[in-house]
Amino acid sequence: SQKIEQNSEALNIQEGKTATLTCNYTNYSPAYLQWYRQDPGRGPVFLLLIRENEKEKRKERLKVTFDTTLKQSLFHITASQPADSATYLCGISGPGRRALTFGSGTRLQVQP
Amino acid sequence: DVKVTQSSRYLVKRTGEKVFLECVQDMDHENMFWYRQDPGLGLRLIYFSYDVKMKEKGDIPEGYSVSREKKERFSLILESASTNQTSMYLCASSPTSGSYNEQFFGPGTRLTVL
């Protein structure tokens, strides 16, 4: 069956360091992948989208990579700040599919 | 800014009750979605709609139905609420019929079924 895995353990890092979050998928041929941020008690907010033919996408301090051979996406936050502390979700969709399938999310905690 | 609103932030219902969760978006989006979110299970798609009166089942449709009579409004219905439907319910919309567009989420409704 199709499966999306994100590290369920919280990631704790020091302010100023680069945070790297992982999204792995199996039994999937995604057309694109999206990353969202979710704060406690709130709905997710879109951050970045990367297509299957793109290897890397950047937006300010954020960088996403997409390796369809490894079936993996990496999400990087450089120069992390305590305000980056949140849960980060990856969502995948296949060709012709309108809906996303989400991973369970990874909680990031940036210590000052 | 796109705004997706949900009728309640918190809701408490009894087993067997019929429950309506309402979602409204103000940006003329074609696609609307209902998810539930549970600890360790992430967001799971219940139903989605790509046009008025059109709907498709998601991954966990059992025990739920939906209604989309107007483009801006998408309702989730629990025909007979059960305790295992206690969860956070999130509504989302996206702007076109294409599959690449970001989803805009509402604030969520935390439903407790006693």
Side-chain angles (χ1 to χ4, degrees):
Chain A
S1 62
Q2 297 167 336
K3 206 169 178 183
I4 299 169
E5 289 184 342
Q6 295 184 257
N7 194 341
S8 58
E9 291 183 18
L11 178 64
N12 290 289
I13 63 167
Q14 285 296 121
E15 182 175 6
K17 301 289 186 187
T18 296
T20 298
L21 285 71
T22 305
C23 177
N24 295 302
Y25 58 92
T26 55
N27 297 325
Y28 237 118
S29 296
Y32 65 96
L33 188 148
Q34 298 184 7
W35 284 89
Y36 288 76
R37 170 187 171 135
Q38 186 174 23
D39 292 289
R42 307 188 77 163
V45 175
F46 172 80
L47 296 174
L48 278 169
L49 177 151
I50 187 164
R51 294 180 174 82
E52 60 178 334
N53 58 352
E54 298 174 317
K55 294 219 177 294
E56 184 179 297
K57 206 81 169 282
R58 290 177 187 260
K59 180 183 175 183
E60 298 171 352
R61 294 185 296 112
L62 309 180
K63 184 178 88 171
V64 172
T65 63
F66 196 7
D67 189 326
T68 54
T69 301
L70 291 178
K71 297 185 183 295
Q72 181 181 80
S73 175
L74 299 178
F75 177 79
H76 306 272
I77 306 175
T78 57
S80 60
Q81 304 164 0
D84 295 326
S85 298
T87 296
Y88 292 86
L89 302 161
C90 73
I92 289 176
S93 191
R97 178 174 156 83
R98 291 182 176 87
L100 288 166
T101 300
F102 284 92
S104 56
T106 298
R107 190 162 63 87
L108 172 67
Q109 189 71 36
V110 181
Q111 308 289 346
Chain B
D1 278 352
V2 174
K3 197 163 183 185
V4 179
T5 57
Q6 296 184 228
S7 49
S8 307
R9 290 302 306 272
Y10 300 93
L11 208 53
V12 180
K13 295 291 181 181
R14 298 222 171 261
T15 302
E17 279 193 78
K18 190 167 186 174
V19 181
F20 293 86
L21 302 182
E22 303 284 338
C23 175
V24 177
Q25 49 95 2
D26 66 359
M27 284 299 288
D28 203 37
H29 288 174
E30 288 83 1
N31 301 321
M32 295 188 75
F33 308 85
W34 274 107
Y35 296 90
R36 66 176 281 178
Q37 187 172 32
D38 301 287
L41 296 177
L43 282 166
R44 292 180 291 166
L45 181 67
I46 304 171
Y47 267 98
F48 71 97
S49 168
Y50 51 91
D51 202 350
V52 175
K53 296 191 187 295
M54 306 303 287
K55 63 186 178 187
E56 281 193 26
K57 292 180 181 179
D59 299 316
I60 51 164
E62 297 79 19
Y64 303 95
S65 62
V66 290
S67 171
R68 192 162 180 207
E69 297 296 318
K70 293 185 177 182
K71 192 174 185 180
E72 67 270 18
R73 188 180 297 270
F74 192 34
S75 303
L76 180 70
I77 303 154
L78 286 67
E79 296 290 343
S80 177
S82 63
T83 54
N84 62 13
Q85 292 178 310
T86 292
S87 186
M88 170 70 87
Y89 289 88
L90 287 156
C91 174
S93 69
S94 69
T96 72
S97 298
S99 56
Y100 285 169
N101 290 287
E102 65 186 272
Q103 293 188 13
F104 296 83
F105 283 84
T109 295
R110 185 164 292 282
L111 172 68
T112 302
V113 182
L114 301 175

